[in-house]
Amino acid sequence: MPLFVVMLFMVFGHKKVIWPDFFLAAGLFYATMKSVRFLPYYAIEWPLLLGTMTSDWPFRRIKGFLVAPILLVLSVILLVDKPLIPAGKPIGEPVLAANYLEAHHGRVFNMYSWGGYLISRHIPVFIDGRTDFYLQGNQINQYMAVKHLTKNPNIIWKQYNVRYVLWAPKTAVATYLLSHSQEWMPVVRTKTAILFQHRGTW
């Protein structure tokens, strides 16, 4: 949507387009479509491009004494207002499982959505949100094969010498592991996640 707005200004506006800035914004837009981790860079670039294209608009000439109070009020609101989710209380994250993994080392096969959180806890992961990075290898396909049980998970886990599997309850993988309790033992179990430990060696 932001890039579409910029293109409208290019077609109907009177300001000369700064092509290097436009191609930078377009490149970041493409990168963002490939991986969400580029979104902050795109969010910074496109307003700058839009600002240069509207620099001669009348509203840009508003006096500073009118803008300053507005910015001051917004700053106070941001500083005083309490966040919706208090810091230090992650919601929907496998906190107890991460606590256990910090004290018990071993290779972890984790759910995609928890990769970033585990990395923030300094726990090595099998996969995380850096999809473009993992597309270079076979890990995405292996992860999907385990998730949908299209292949015997133990074959993949043995390949990576996986000691722990961190997965959401009431899923196909969790059901599979619970039904193979002779090989996999739940060591942490909450409403959010179940951490399974492999019994013995591969």
Side-chain angles (χ1 to χ4, degrees):
M1 183 63 181
L3 194 61
F4 176 72
V5 172
V6 171
M7 293 179 69
L8 285 178
F9 278 109
M10 290 174 59
V11 175
F12 300 105
H14 304 289
K15 192 76 173 179
K16 185 178 179 180
V17 179
I18 303 176
W19 288 108
D21 288 346
F22 172 78
F23 285 119
L24 176 59
L28 288 172
F29 174 76
Y30 175 78
T32 301
M33 294 297 99
K34 298 284 288 184
S35 177
V36 72
R37 64 193 177 100
F38 290 100
L39 180 59
Y41 306 106
Y42 176 59
I44 292 172
E45 171 57 25
W46 85 263
L48 296 177
L49 176 60
L50 188 61
T52 61
M53 299 180 69
T54 59
S55 59
D56 57 346
W57 283 30
F59 77 87
R60 297 294 300 275
R61 303 190 185 96
I62 298 176
K63 299 296 182 181
F65 66 83
L66 294 177
V67 177
I70 298 175
L71 294 178
L72 179 61
V73 171
L74 291 175
S75 300
V76 171
I77 292 174
L78 290 174
L79 290 173
V80 175
D81 194 25
K82 295 181 179 179
L84 295 177
I85 301 177
K89 295 183 179 180
I91 304 299
E93 305 291 2
V95 179
L96 295 181
N99 293 343
Y100 186 93
L101 290 171
E102 283 182 333
H104 302 81
H105 302 294
R107 180 155 292 183
V108 181
F109 189 95
N110 59 283
M111 289 192 72
Y112 175 89
S113 57
W114 292 333
Y117 174 73
L118 294 177
I119 289 175
S120 72
R121 298 286 300 270
H122 307 290
I123 298 170
V125 299
F126 180 82
I127 197 169
D128 60 78
R130 298 170 294 175
T131 310
D132 53 328
F133 174 78
Y134 292 102
L135 284 174
Q136 299 174 12
N138 195 36
Q139 284 179 260
I140 287 286
N141 294 331
Q142 291 175 320
Y143 173 83
M144 297 304 293
V146 170
K147 180 180 179 181
H148 299 293
L149 296 181
T150 56
K151 185 176 181 179
N152 185 347
N154 281 319
I155 296 176
I156 297 174
W157 293 333
K158 182 179 180 180
Q159 177 184 346
Y160 291 95
N161 193 28
V162 170
R163 182 167 177 79
Y164 298 100
V165 175
L166 181 58
W167 216 259
K170 299 180 181 179
T171 58
V173 173
T175 302
Y176 172 88
L177 290 167
L178 289 171
S179 66
H180 291 71
S181 57
Q182 293 183 349
E183 301 173 76
W184 294 93
M185 174 180 63
V187 290
V188 176
R189 192 168 186 172
T190 66
K191 293 181 179 180
T192 302
I194 305 178
L195 179 64
F196 296 90
Q197 179 179 340
H198 184 249
R199 297 173 183 265
T201 58
W202 289 107

